[in-house]
Amino acid sequence: MPSKPAHRTQPPLSWRIFFYLLGFAALLVLLLWLFQIVYLDTFYRKVKINEITGAAAIIGHNIENINNEELLSLMDRLASERELCIRIYNLSVVGNNERLDDVFAYDADVLPGCVIHHLSLAEVAYFYNSALDAEGPYTQVISGDYLRNRTYNPGFFFSRPTVISSGESMILSQVFNTSNGDEFLVLLNLKLEPVDATVHTLRIQLYFITALMIVAALVLSFLISRGLAIPITRINNGAKRLAAGDFSVSFDGKGYRESGELAQTLNFAAAELSRAERLQRELIANISHDLRTPLTMIGGYAEAMRDLPDENNAENAQVIIDEVKRLSSLVNAVLDLSKLQSGVAQPHFTEFDLGELTESLVENYRRLLTQEGYKIIYEGSGEAWVKADQKRIEQVLSNFINNALTYTGPEKDIKIRLSNLREKVRLEVIDSGVGIAAEHLNEIWQRYYRLEGAHKRAAHGAGLGLSIARQVLEQHNAAYGVESEIGHGSIFWFELPLLP
Ligand code: ADP
């Protein structure tokens, strides 16, 4: 049985998004739980301590104004704004064994059940000493139970508070000195509300929030994954058709930018695939045509030589040899191109004189072809040293010259021109033939490309020559091109940097 494809075992997009959202929701709920429930009381106390020490600091700042109305009205304002009560003792006037009533004190009292107005001397002394020890604000929380169960003897609590709240009281004591040596004890009292009831309510709310979050994560993940997946599914269906060989498929990536880009890339790939397939088909047709003709010739001549004693001569043997050469050059071209394209054939750079190479190549052509009426002219200006793969450059040059010879006009003349430009050398192969229409100028460099009707037997290769040239020149980072006009011949050229 075939094993499941790997992607089948992976969770779908919707699940993945759902788990991410669920994780996010869990994090939120956890944070809410920690802050609203577990640490609510701690936070509340921190806030209250800040409030009460802040108020003490303000009073401390203004303690010099103790004898005028300014401080008293400030105390009233603080007391009502922050819901606390304030008592300030002028300790400089406290004598031994004095009752607290006799001590000079300033009050702001807005809090029912306030504790600091009912402290005994011992209690005041306790807070005074604690503040001195703390060398700053000293805070203490006293529970309602503690207050209620206290035995109110005059030695400790001076009198029973009229209302004792069930909650806790926070008391602050701090000692301030004025510039004229007076010492003041500031007592502040603030009620702490119990947070239990709030926590209970919040906990119930959190249950609801948790349930809502799970539902929201489900719905959102469904919506998001649908939005993400629809274009992908559409493109996937198209890709399946493409894989099955339907190159007419058009990809639609509507949805978001990434899907649009993916569709565009796939459309391009489909067009390229379809073009490559068409060219491949044409190549096979061309190559089989090019293979069949020499093979027929070879077969025919060999049979004639075997059967007819008269035909068994050197000319017929030469025909067979020529056709075999043609065949092997075709096969070599196909091999060359596939090696160049697969990157197996790395260029082998050497320094050589392009002028000399061209001149001797042209000389060879001239020797072979002058009899057939070809006029091959070389226009060169001496040496031109370059660093390149000599064999490959020679191949490019031969391809250009072969094409020029093939496509040149009835005058049968071609020109090879080598010009030394400032830092580079330019090589041009010029013919006076049919020329190439502007719309084909780019296509002729494509592999297997042959112009309609250009397929004649004299042609070398099978539409591979220029594409081999292009591969080689691109490997050399060389500039190359063609200038041509219908009926006015063509100029194929390339440029290589000159060695200093
Ligand atoms: P082949 O010459 O084997 O057909 P090439 O790759 O060398 O293949 O050339 C591709 C096509 O470019 C040719 O089929 C021809 O149509 C066109 N071509 C190349 N050189 C010339 C030229 N000098 N003049 C006109 N057409 C040319």
Side-chain angles (χ1 to χ4, degrees):
M1 213 180 85
S3 61
K4 261 186 172 181
H7 61 82
R8 286 260 170 221
T9 58
Q10 290 167 359
L13 187 63
S14 50
W15 277 111
R16 182 154 281 214
I17 294 175
F18 174 62
F19 284 123
Y20 285 147
L21 285 179
L22 206 61
F24 182 64
L27 188 73
L28 274 185
V29 171
L30 183 76
L31 283 179
L32 279 176
W33 204 274
L34 279 179
F35 282 81
Q36 300 275 65
I37 292 179
V38 181
Y39 293 119
L40 185 63
D41 194 48
T42 321
F43 277 127
Y44 176 68
R45 275 158 203 260
K46 279 248 160 65
V47 169
K48 285 297 175 188
I49 287 182
N50 279 345
E51 237 170 61
I52 204 169
T53 47
I58 294 174
I59 293 172
H61 264 295
N62 294 280
I63 201 75
E64 300 281 350
N65 302 323
I66 192 75
N67 286 320
N68 61 42
E69 285 296 308
E70 213 175 297
L71 181 61
L72 289 180
S73 63
L74 177 75
M75 281 165 63
D76 284 340
R77 218 177 56 236
L78 274 177
S80 61
E81 273 174 10
R82 306 200 179 187
E83 288 186 34
L84 34 83
C85 60
I86 305 170
R87 168 156 269 214
I88 303 178
Y89 293 107
N90 186 346
L91 296 179
S92 319
V93 298
V94 180
N96 278 343
N97 298 325
E98 272 179 281
R99 283 177 58 97
L100 275 177
D101 269 358
D102 306 331
V103 175
F104 198 64
Y106 307 84
D107 288 312
D109 186 1
V110 295
L111 213 60
C114 167
V115 178
I116 51 172
H117 291 95
H118 306 278
L119 296 180
S120 66
L121 183 59
E123 288 262 342
V124 174
Y126 164 76
F127 281 113
Y128 171 69
N129 286 327
S130 303
L132 284 185
D133 285 348
E135 292 175 1
Y138 166 79
T139 50
Q140 185 176 345
V141 174
I142 295 176
S143 77
D145 287 343
Y146 169 85
L147 292 174
R148 213 168 304 122
N149 300 332
R150 195 120 194 95
T151 38
Y152 288 92
N153 61 54
F156 208 74
F157 272 98
F158 173 63
S159 58
R160 178 188 285 273
T162 42
V163 186
I164 299 174
S165 63
S166 59
E168 296 169 310
S169 271
M170 181 180 280
I171 295 175
L172 176 142
S173 64
Q174 191 166 3
V175 175
F176 294 103
N177 295 301
T178 57
S179 50
N180 59 16
D182 283 350
E183 193 179 29
F184 290 92
L185 173 66
V186 174
L187 285 177
L188 296 177
N189 184 178
L190 179 137
K191 272 204 293 186
L192 295 177
E193 301 299 337
V195 293
D196 295 4
T198 323
V199 165
H200 181 69
T201 320
L202 284 176
R203 187 173 293 149
I204 293 172
Q205 276 191 351
L206 269 183
Y207 289 138
F208 280 108
I209 291 178
T210 309
L212 268 176
M213 289 275 208
I214 292 173
V215 174
L218 259 175
V219 173
L220 268 180
S221 59
F222 174 71
L223 290 179
I224 294 176
S225 66
R226 222 173 59 131
L228 287 178
I230 283 178
I232 295 181
T233 313
R234 223 171 27 221
I235 291 173
N236 192 20
N237 290 338
K240 281 182 192 156
R241 278 173 57 199
L242 181 63
D246 176 3
F247 298 124
S248 68
V249 53
S250 141
F251 291 91
D252 171 11
K254 260 200 322 275
Y256 40 97
R257 191 195 303 166
E258 284 80 358
S259 65
E261 278 172 9
L262 177 61
Q264 203 183 351
T265 313
L266 284 171
N267 277 329
F268 179 71
E272 284 292 295
L273 277 175
S274 130
R275 207 170 58 93
E277 205 225 25
R278 182 171 53 79
L279 292 175
Q280 202 103 29
R281 258 202 318 268
E282 282 169 14
L283 169 80
I284 290 174
N286 284 351
I287 290 185
S288 10
H289 178 270
D290 287 350
L291 287 177
R292 200 165 24 194
T293 322
L295 284 175
T296 318
M297 300 263 284
I298 293 169
Y301 274 78
E303 273 177 25
M305 288 167 77
R306 183 195 60 196
D307 299 339
L308 308 170
D310 272 2
E311 298 292 325
N312 197 346
N313 56 31
E315 284 115 76
N316 287 349
Q318 189 58 45
V319 172
I320 293 178
I321 292 169
D322 287 347
E323 294 302 323
V324 168
K325 275 191 190 148
R326 199 192 297 280
L327 276 180
S328 71
S329 86
L330 173 61
V331 171
N332 281 338
V334 174
L335 280 178
D336 266 354
L337 186 63
S338 77
K339 264 195 264 172
L340 278 167
Q341 281 177 336
S342 61
V344 175
Q346 285 302 316
H348 174 66
F349 286 96
T350 53
E351 293 180 7
F352 63 92
D353 179 2
L354 184 62
E356 192 196 313
L357 176 79
T358 316
E359 213 169 338
S360 69
L361 194 68
V362 170
E363 196 46 49
N364 284 347
Y365 272 101
R366 213 180 269 147
R367 230 178 324 143
L368 286 171
L369 296 171
T370 321
Q371 276 178 338
E372 294 185 24
Y374 283 98
K375 276 189 287 237
I376 306 172
I377 299 165
Y378 175 65
E379 269 181 23
S381 48
E383 296 185 359
W385 284 85
V386 293
K387 188 168 184 189
D389 186 325
Q390 186 171 348
K391 269 214 179 113
R392 296 262 173 237
I393 292 295
E394 191 176 338
Q395 196 179 9
V396 172
L397 202 51
S398 305
N399 278 331
F400 283 1
I401 296 177
N402 288 337
N403 279 345
L405 292 168
T406 309
Y407 299 106
T408 193
E411 301 90 49
K412 288 191 162 183
D413 54 351
I414 72 165
K415 195 193 287 177
I416 291 103
R417 187 194 294 155
L418 185 95
S419 5
N420 274 337
L421 307 177
R422 206 189 299 220
E423 273 157 5
K424 52 195 177 185
V425 56
R426 182 182 172 98
L427 206 140
E428 294 164 303
V429 178
I430 306 159
D431 70 70
S432 56
V434 288
I436 304 162
E439 67 264 29
H440 296 307
L441 282 182
N442 280 329
E443 293 171 325
I444 56 169
W445 301 95
Q446 308 280 352
R447 96 196 109 139
Y448 318 139
Y449 185 82
R450 319 192 74 186
L451 289 182
E452 294 276 325
H455 189 73
K456 55 177 172 173
R457 192 169 134 68
H460 274 255
L464 297 178
L466 287 184
S467 115
I468 291 177
R470 183 183 113 188
Q471 296 278 340
V472 171
L473 292 170
E474 279 175 4
Q475 261 186 351
H476 281 78
N477 282 328
Y480 65 92
V482 53
E483 288 151 27
S484 184
E485 230 181 280
I486 282 286
H488 290 89
S490 319
I491 303 176
F492 280 83
W493 62 269
F494 67 84
E495 289 173 354
L496 284 173
L498 273 173
L499 287 174

